[in-house]
Amino acid sequence: MSNRRVGILGLGAYLPEKVLTNFDLEKMVDTTDEWITTRTGIRERRIVEKGTATSDLAARAAKEAIQSAKLTPADIDLIIVATISPDMLMPSTACIVQEKIGAKCGSFDISAACSGFPYGLAIGEGLVRSGAYRHILVIGAEVTSSFINWKDRSTCVLFGDGAGAAVVGEVHDGHDILATYLGADGSQAKLLQIPAGGSAIPPTTETINSGLHFVQMEGSEVFKSAVRTMVDAITEVTRRANIKLGEIDCFIPHQANLRILNAVAERMGIPFEKVYVNLDRYGNMSAASTIVALYEAVKEGKVKKDSNVVLVAFGSGLTWAACAIRW
Ligand code: COA
């Protein structure tokens, strides 16, 4: 491995303006603000206007990240978009984003669900470290609202739309990515999936009528796996980064459920004030979740120069991932 120091040069985020509160959901499905708040911690989420695609949110976040890195689109030599809600099956959302931001470079999507951003960061870090690329745009972007069954109260209350982006490159004064760790267990694929629309179950009127194009989830099983895999990911990434748990200043977890975050913190003895939370405002934005949380934690001064930060996520696959960063 080269001695090159690789890290985050700039951050960006974009959240749609439209807010959908738990009280709005009370009018749509058989649920209550009280149920959603106590079971998940979510109070509201952002939802795009009809006609807005994932690439639209991604491009807005990407432009801000490039600007904050003091670069121009011409400086970007690779674009990676992590998403489970691509604009379409092909071409990749990354190619559409490339056109929207005016870049000219290799562009591709990755599919690691809610672990997508840390997966993308690990790929970007490796490719910059190898010397093959200089400035890689890693984006986590989702319009999950297009893949949600708005009649299914067990899933529709959980998700939201949004995007975040980071420019990865060589660093000289902090922001170093110290270690990454990626995991997956395909034997648990059925716990959380969108079954139809791909080659296994191509779209037909029957698949549409059966709701097979929407997110399907076994919530309590996912909950248990989430706690187990996030504990594993934090433990492994801190070991690889050679830092003690007590030396971590801020945990930026995937924002799916407050009870999951509480359980992870409790199991690991992490003081909860070190855990960044914004799921009350945005719900679960899948691949956009950790990067938007990092963006806001930096803006709010919860992540500052020399902070040791751990990004940690889990999601469909099942996948899990963590990145340790010295800010
Ligand atoms: N409003 C009111 N009641 C609801 C509801 C809603 N929105 N959604 C489910 N319920 C009901 C269920 O129908 C069930 O009723 P029953 O007991 O009469 O059958 C009851 O609430 C309990 O459901 P259960 O699924 O056991 O609740 P839970 O405490 O496990 O919470 C989740 C459900 C989905 C919030 C929780 O399992 C969870 O967060 N899992 C992880 C999901 C996740 O993180 N997914 C993304 C991974 S990236």
Side-chain angles (χ1 to χ4, degrees), residues 46-74:
R46 302 296 180 89
I47 302 290
V48 297
E49 297 291 347
K50 218 173 165 34
T52 301
T54 294
S55 63
D56 296 317
L57 308 188
R60 300 280 286 261
K63 282 180 188 166
E64 184 185 354
I66 293 168
Q67 207 170 27
S68 99
K70 301 191 173 54
L71 297 171
T72 67

PDB file of all heavy atoms in Angstrom, residues 46-74:
ATOM      1  N   ARG A  46     -38.048  14.079   4.068  1.00  0.00           N
ATOM      2  CA  ARG A  46     -38.176  14.891   2.857  1.00  0.00           C
ATOM      3  C   ARG A  46     -38.581  13.979   1.699  1.00  0.00           C
ATOM      4  O   ARG A  46     -38.071  12.870   1.568  1.00  0.00           O
ATOM      5  CB  ARG A  46     -36.859  15.585   2.531  1.00  0.00           C
ATOM      6  CG  ARG A  46     -36.333  16.480   3.646  1.00  0.00           C
ATOM      7  CD  ARG A  46     -37.288  17.646   3.898  1.00  0.00           C
ATOM      8  NE  ARG A  46     -36.780  18.507   4.960  1.00  0.00           N
ATOM      9  CZ  ARG A  46     -35.970  19.542   4.745  1.00  0.00           C
ATOM     10  NH1 ARG A  46     -35.588  19.852   3.505  1.00  0.00           N
ATOM     11  NH2 ARG A  46     -35.537  20.269   5.756  1.00  0.00           N
ATOM     12  N   ILE A  47     -39.455  14.517   0.843  1.00  0.00           N
ATOM     13  CA  ILE A  47     -39.947  13.743  -0.308  1.00  0.00           C
ATOM     14  C   ILE A  47     -39.866  14.638  -1.541  1.00  0.00           C
ATOM     15  O   ILE A  47     -40.257  15.806  -1.483  1.00  0.00           O
ATOM     16  CB  ILE A  47     -41.423  13.313  -0.077  1.00  0.00           C
ATOM     17  CG1 ILE A  47     -41.570  12.474   1.205  1.00  0.00           C
ATOM     18  CG2 ILE A  47     -41.988  12.572  -1.283  1.00  0.00           C
ATOM     19  CD1 ILE A  47     -40.961  11.091   1.164  1.00  0.00           C
ATOM     20  N   VAL A  48     -39.401  14.095  -2.658  1.00  0.00           N
ATOM     21  CA  VAL A  48     -39.284  14.906  -3.876  1.00  0.00           C
ATOM     22  C   VAL A  48     -40.656  15.196  -4.482  1.00  0.00           C
ATOM     23  O   VAL A  48     -41.614  14.464  -4.250  1.00  0.00           O
ATOM     24  CB  VAL A  48     -38.423  14.211  -4.965  1.00  0.00           C
ATOM     25  CG1 VAL A  48     -36.992  14.008  -4.498  1.00  0.00           C
ATOM     26  CG2 VAL A  48     -39.038  12.888  -5.421  1.00  0.00           C
ATOM     27  N   GLU A  49     -40.701  16.261  -5.259  1.00  0.00           N
ATOM     28  CA  GLU A  49     -41.879  16.519  -6.088  1.00  0.00           C
ATOM     29  C   GLU A  49     -41.862  15.510  -7.234  1.00  0.00           C
ATOM     30  O   GLU A  49     -40.786  15.054  -7.654  1.00  0.00           O
ATOM     31  CB  GLU A  49     -41.833  17.943  -6.665  1.00  0.00           C
ATOM     32  CG  GLU A  49     -41.868  19.057  -5.629  1.00  0.00           C
ATOM     33  CD  GLU A  49     -43.203  19.172  -4.900  1.00  0.00           C
ATOM     34  OE1 GLU A  49     -44.197  18.555  -5.348  1.00  0.00           O
ATOM     35  OE2 GLU A  49     -43.247  19.880  -3.883  1.00  0.00           O
ATOM     36  N   LYS A  50     -43.041  15.189  -7.739  1.00  0.00           N
ATOM     37  CA  LYS A  50     -43.138  14.260  -8.879  1.00  0.00           C
ATOM     38  C   LYS A  50     -42.245  14.750 -10.024  1.00  0.00           C
ATOM     39  O   LYS A  50     -42.200  15.951 -10.292  1.00  0.00           O
ATOM     40  CB  LYS A  50     -44.596  14.229  -9.349  1.00  0.00           C
ATOM     41  CG  LYS A  50     -45.058  12.866  -9.778  1.00  0.00           C
ATOM     42  CD  LYS A  50     -46.559  12.915 -10.050  1.00  0.00           C
ATOM     43  CE  LYS A  50     -47.110  11.756 -10.806  1.00  0.00           C
ATOM     44  NZ  LYS A  50     -46.564  10.461 -10.631  1.00  0.00           N
ATOM     45  N   GLY A  51     -41.524  13.824 -10.649  1.00  0.00           N
ATOM     46  CA  GLY A  51     -40.694  14.209 -11.790  1.00  0.00           C
ATOM     47  C   GLY A  51     -39.240  14.467 -11.418  1.00  0.00           C
ATOM     48  O   GLY A  51     -38.395  14.623 -12.299  1.00  0.00           O
ATOM     49  N   THR A  52     -38.946  14.520 -10.098  1.00  0.00           N
ATOM     50  CA  THR A  52     -37.549  14.698  -9.680  1.00  0.00           C
ATOM     51  C   THR A  52     -36.905  13.323  -9.524  1.00  0.00           C
ATOM     52  O   THR A  52     -37.460  12.442  -8.867  1.00  0.00           O
ATOM     53  CB  THR A  52     -37.483  15.447  -8.327  1.00  0.00           C
ATOM     54  OG1 THR A  52     -38.119  16.703  -8.487  1.00  0.00           O
ATOM     55  CG2 THR A  52     -36.050  15.653  -7.880  1.00  0.00           C
ATOM     56  N   ALA A  53     -35.734  13.160 -10.145  1.00  0.00           N
ATOM     57  CA  ALA A  53     -35.059  11.859 -10.117  1.00  0.00           C
ATOM     58  C   ALA A  53     -33.863  11.905  -9.169  1.00  0.00           C
ATOM     59  O   ALA A  53     -33.412  12.986  -8.754  1.00  0.00           O
ATOM     60  CB  ALA A  53     -34.589  11.492 -11.517  1.00  0.00           C
ATOM     61  N   THR A  54     -33.342  10.727  -8.874  1.00  0.00           N
ATOM     62  CA  THR A  54     -32.170  10.621  -7.994  1.00  0.00           C
ATOM     63  C   THR A  54     -31.002  11.451  -8.521  1.00  0.00           C
ATOM     64  O   THR A  54     -30.295  12.118  -7.752  1.00  0.00           O
ATOM     65  CB  THR A  54     -31.781   9.131  -7.852  1.00  0.00           C
ATOM     66  OG1 THR A  54     -32.845   8.472  -7.165  1.00  0.00           O
ATOM     67  CG2 THR A  54     -30.493   8.951  -7.081  1.00  0.00           C
ATOM     68  N   SER A  55     -30.803  11.451  -9.847  1.00  0.00           N
ATOM     69  CA  SER A  55     -29.678  12.210 -10.421  1.00  0.00           C
ATOM     70  C   SER A  55     -29.816  13.712 -10.170  1.00  0.00           C
ATOM     71  O   SER A  55     -28.805  14.417 -10.077  1.00  0.00           O
ATOM     72  CB  SER A  55     -29.558  11.948 -11.921  1.00  0.00           C
ATOM     73  OG  SER A  55     -30.718  12.417 -12.579  1.00  0.00           O
ATOM     74  N   ASP A  56     -31.059  14.209 -10.067  1.00  0.00           N
ATOM     75  CA  ASP A  56     -31.254  15.651  -9.794  1.00  0.00           C
ATOM     76  C   ASP A  56     -30.718  16.007  -8.402  1.00  0.00           C
ATOM     77  O   ASP A  56     -30.023  17.013  -8.229  1.00  0.00           O
ATOM     78  CB  ASP A  56     -32.744  16.023  -9.877  1.00  0.00           C
ATOM     79  CG  ASP A  56     -33.306  15.837 -11.274  1.00  0.00           C
ATOM     80  OD1 ASP A  56     -32.613  16.232 -12.238  1.00  0.00           O
ATOM     81  OD2 ASP A  56     -34.411  15.293 -11.412  1.00  0.00           O
ATOM     82  N   LEU A  57     -31.054  15.168  -7.410  1.00  0.00           N
ATOM     83  CA  LEU A  57     -30.565  15.420  -6.046  1.00  0.00           C
ATOM     84  C   LEU A  57     -29.052  15.230  -6.001  1.00  0.00           C
ATOM     85  O   LEU A  57     -28.322  16.028  -5.392  1.00  0.00           O
ATOM     86  CB  LEU A  57     -31.218  14.452  -5.049  1.00  0.00           C
ATOM     87  CG  LEU A  57     -32.747  14.323  -5.032  1.00  0.00           C
ATOM     88  CD1 LEU A  57     -33.180  13.459  -3.851  1.00  0.00           C
ATOM     89  CD2 LEU A  57     -33.414  15.679  -4.950  1.00  0.00           C
ATOM     90  N   ALA A  58     -28.588  14.168  -6.667  1.00  0.00           N
ATOM     91  CA  ALA A  58     -27.152  13.846  -6.658  1.00  0.00           C
ATOM     92  C   ALA A  58     -26.341  14.986  -7.267  1.00  0.00           C
ATOM     93  O   ALA A  58     -25.287  15.366  -6.735  1.00  0.00           O
ATOM     94  CB  ALA A  58     -26.908  12.555  -7.432  1.00  0.00           C
ATOM     95  N   ALA A  59     -26.828  15.548  -8.370  1.00  0.00           N
ATOM     96  CA  ALA A  59     -26.083  16.609  -9.056  1.00  0.00           C
ATOM     97  C   ALA A  59     -25.973  17.848  -8.170  1.00  0.00           C
ATOM     98  O   ALA A  59     -24.919  18.504  -8.127  1.00  0.00           O
ATOM     99  CB  ALA A  59     -26.753  16.952 -10.388  1.00  0.00           C
ATOM    100  N   ARG A  60     -27.060  18.168  -7.430  1.00  0.00           N
ATOM    101  CA  ARG A  60     -27.014  19.334  -6.541  1.00  0.00           C
ATOM    102  C   ARG A  60     -25.968  19.127  -5.438  1.00  0.00           C
ATOM    103  O   ARG A  60     -25.176  20.024  -5.133  1.00  0.00           O
ATOM    104  CB  ARG A  60     -28.392  19.581  -5.889  1.00  0.00           C
ATOM    105  CG  ARG A  60     -29.532  19.847  -6.859  1.00  0.00           C
ATOM    106  CD  ARG A  60     -29.528  21.281  -7.349  1.00  0.00           C
ATOM    107  NE  ARG A  60     -29.974  22.234  -6.348  1.00  0.00           N
ATOM    108  CZ  ARG A  60     -31.208  22.755  -6.273  1.00  0.00           C
ATOM    109  NH1 ARG A  60     -32.141  22.383  -7.140  1.00  0.00           N
ATOM    110  NH2 ARG A  60     -31.504  23.658  -5.364  1.00  0.00           N
ATOM    111  N   ALA A  61     -25.983  17.930  -4.838  1.00  0.00           N
ATOM    112  CA  ALA A  61     -25.007  17.640  -3.772  1.00  0.00           C
ATOM    113  C   ALA A  61     -23.587  17.636  -4.338  1.00  0.00           C
ATOM    114  O   ALA A  61     -22.651  18.153  -3.707  1.00  0.00           O
ATOM    115  CB  ALA A  61     -25.325  16.285  -3.128  1.00  0.00           C
ATOM    116  N   ALA A  62     -23.428  17.076  -5.533  1.00  0.00           N
ATOM    117  CA  ALA A  62     -22.098  16.960  -6.152  1.00  0.00           C
ATOM    118  C   ALA A  62     -21.501  18.335  -6.429  1.00  0.00           C
ATOM    119  O   ALA A  62     -20.314  18.576  -6.154  1.00  0.00           O
ATOM    120  CB  ALA A  62     -22.208  16.164  -7.452  1.00  0.00           C
ATOM    121  N   LYS A  63     -22.323  19.250  -6.949  1.00  0.00           N
ATOM    122  CA  LYS A  63     -21.807  20.597  -7.270  1.00  0.00           C
ATOM    123  C   LYS A  63     -21.272  21.268  -6.004  1.00  0.00           C
ATOM    124  O   LYS A  63     -20.225  21.912  -6.025  1.00  0.00           O
ATOM    125  CB  LYS A  63     -22.914  21.448  -7.901  1.00  0.00           C
ATOM    126  CG  LYS A  63     -23.148  21.095  -9.364  1.00  0.00           C
ATOM    127  CD  LYS A  63     -24.254  21.950  -9.945  1.00  0.00           C
ATOM    128  CE  LYS A  63     -24.636  21.483 -11.341  1.00  0.00           C
ATOM    129  NZ  LYS A  63     -25.887  22.052 -11.811  1.00  0.00           N
ATOM    130  N   GLU A  64     -22.021  21.123  -4.902  1.00  0.00           N
ATOM    131  CA  GLU A  64     -21.554  21.746  -3.652  1.00  0.00           C
ATOM    132  C   GLU A  64     -20.244  21.104  -3.167  1.00  0.00           C
ATOM    133  O   GLU A  64     -19.331  21.807  -2.714  1.00  0.00           O
ATOM    134  CB  GLU A  64     -22.633  21.629  -2.555  1.00  0.00           C
ATOM    135  CG  GLU A  64     -22.216  22.353  -1.290  1.00  0.00           C
ATOM    136  CD  GLU A  64     -23.180  22.193  -0.122  1.00  0.00           C
ATOM    137  OE1 GLU A  64     -24.265  21.612  -0.288  1.00  0.00           O
ATOM    138  OE2 GLU A  64     -22.811  22.660   0.978  1.00  0.00           O
ATOM    139  N   ALA A  65     -20.161  19.767  -3.287  1.00  0.00           N
ATOM    140  CA  ALA A  65     -18.945  19.079  -2.818  1.00  0.00           C
ATOM    141  C   ALA A  65     -17.728  19.520  -3.637  1.00  0.00           C
ATOM    142  O   ALA A  65     -16.643  19.749  -3.084  1.00  0.00           O
ATOM    143  CB  ALA A  65     -19.131  17.564  -2.919  1.00  0.00           C
ATOM    144  N   ILE A  66     -17.915  19.659  -4.950  1.00  0.00           N
ATOM    145  CA  ILE A  66     -16.795  20.056  -5.824  1.00  0.00           C
ATOM    146  C   ILE A  66     -16.352  21.477  -5.473  1.00  0.00           C
ATOM    147  O   ILE A  66     -15.160  21.773  -5.364  1.00  0.00           O
ATOM    148  CB  ILE A  66     -17.210  19.957  -7.313  1.00  0.00           C
ATOM    149  CG1 ILE A  66     -17.451  18.486  -7.685  1.00  0.00           C
ATOM    150  CG2 ILE A  66     -16.157  20.570  -8.225  1.00  0.00           C
ATOM    151  CD1 ILE A  66     -18.135  18.286  -9.028  1.00  0.00           C
ATOM    152  N   GLN A  67     -17.351  22.347  -5.260  1.00  0.00           N
ATOM    153  CA  GLN A  67     -17.045  23.736  -4.900  1.00  0.00           C
ATOM    154  C   GLN A  67     -16.326  23.792  -3.547  1.00  0.00           C
ATOM    155  O   GLN A  67     -15.349  24.513  -3.386  1.00  0.00           O
ATOM    156  CB  GLN A  67     -18.352  24.513  -4.824  1.00  0.00           C
ATOM    157  CG  GLN A  67     -18.179  25.971  -5.107  1.00  0.00           C
ATOM    158  CD  GLN A  67     -19.550  26.636  -5.248  1.00  0.00           C
ATOM    159  OE1 GLN A  67     -20.530  26.169  -4.667  1.00  0.00           O
ATOM    160  NE2 GLN A  67     -19.606  27.703  -5.994  1.00  0.00           N
ATOM    161  N   SER A  68     -16.812  23.002  -2.588  1.00  0.00           N
ATOM    162  CA  SER A  68     -16.196  23.069  -1.253  1.00  0.00           C
ATOM    163  C   SER A  68     -14.785  22.471  -1.271  1.00  0.00           C
ATOM    164  O   SER A  68     -13.961  22.798  -0.414  1.00  0.00           O
ATOM    165  CB  SER A  68     -17.099  22.439  -0.193  1.00  0.00           C
ATOM    166  OG  SER A  68     -16.729  21.151   0.114  1.00  0.00           O
ATOM    167  N   ALA A  69     -14.496  21.620  -2.263  1.00  0.00           N
ATOM    168  CA  ALA A  69     -13.125  21.098  -2.432  1.00  0.00           C
ATOM    169  C   ALA A  69     -12.246  22.080  -3.210  1.00  0.00           C
ATOM    170  O   ALA A  69     -11.079  21.799  -3.461  1.00  0.00           O
ATOM    171  CB  ALA A  69     -13.168  19.757  -3.159  1.00  0.00           C
ATOM    172  N   LYS A  70     -12.856  23.214  -3.598  1.00  0.00           N
ATOM    173  CA  LYS A  70     -12.159  24.242  -4.400  1.00  0.00           C
ATOM    174  C   LYS A  70     -11.667  23.665  -5.731  1.00  0.00           C
ATOM    175  O   LYS A  70     -10.552  23.920  -6.186  1.00  0.00           O
ATOM    176  CB  LYS A  70     -11.005  24.879  -3.622  1.00  0.00           C
ATOM    177  CG  LYS A  70     -11.478  25.547  -2.331  1.00  0.00           C
ATOM    178  CD  LYS A  70     -10.382  26.396  -1.718  1.00  0.00           C
ATOM    179  CE  LYS A  70     -10.852  27.205  -0.533  1.00  0.00           C
ATOM    180  NZ  LYS A  70     -11.497  26.452   0.536  1.00  0.00           N
ATOM    181  N   LEU A  71     -12.531  22.846  -6.332  1.00  0.00           N
ATOM    182  CA  LEU A  71     -12.218  22.238  -7.626  1.00  0.00           C
ATOM    183  C   LEU A  71     -13.300  22.629  -8.624  1.00  0.00           C
ATOM    184  O   LEU A  71     -14.282  23.291  -8.263  1.00  0.00           O
ATOM    185  CB  LEU A  71     -12.166  20.707  -7.485  1.00  0.00           C
ATOM    186  CG  LEU A  71     -11.074  20.138  -6.559  1.00  0.00           C
ATOM    187  CD1 LEU A  71     -11.291  18.654  -6.341  1.00  0.00           C
ATOM    188  CD2 LEU A  71      -9.680  20.391  -7.139  1.00  0.00           C
ATOM    189  N   THR A  72     -13.124  22.202  -9.868  1.00  0.00           N
ATOM    190  CA  THR A  72     -14.170  22.380 -10.876  1.00  0.00           C
ATOM    191  C   THR A  72     -14.543  20.994 -11.398  1.00  0.00           C
ATOM    192  O   THR A  72     -13.772  20.029 -11.207  1.00  0.00           O
ATOM    193  CB  THR A  72     -13.671  23.230 -12.064  1.00  0.00           C
ATOM    194  OG1 THR A  72     -12.671  22.462 -12.753  1.00  0.00           O
ATOM    195  CG2 THR A  72     -13.090  24.561 -11.608  1.00  0.00           C
ATOM    196  N   PRO A  73     -15.696  20.855 -12.072  1.00  0.00           N
ATOM    197  CA  PRO A  73     -16.076  19.528 -12.600  1.00  0.00           C
ATOM    198  C   PRO A  73     -14.987  18.918 -13.482  1.00  0.00           C
ATOM    199  O   PRO A  73     -14.823  17.693 -13.519  1.00  0.00           O
ATOM    200  CB  PRO A  73     -17.350  19.828 -13.387  1.00  0.00           C
ATOM    201  CG  PRO A  73     -17.944  21.015 -12.687  1.00  0.00           C
ATOM    202  CD  PRO A  73     -16.778  21.844 -12.250  1.00  0.00           C
ATOM    203  N   ALA A  74     -14.203  19.747 -14.153  1.00  0.00           N
ATOM    204  CA  ALA A  74     -13.140  19.223 -15.026  1.00  0.00           C
ATOM    205  C   ALA A  74     -12.039  18.511 -14.226  1.00  0.00           C
ATOM    206  O   ALA A  74     -11.292  17.702 -14.783  1.00  0.00           O
ATOM    207  CB  ALA A  74     -12.529  20.369 -15.835  1.00  0.00           C
TER     208      ALA A  74
END
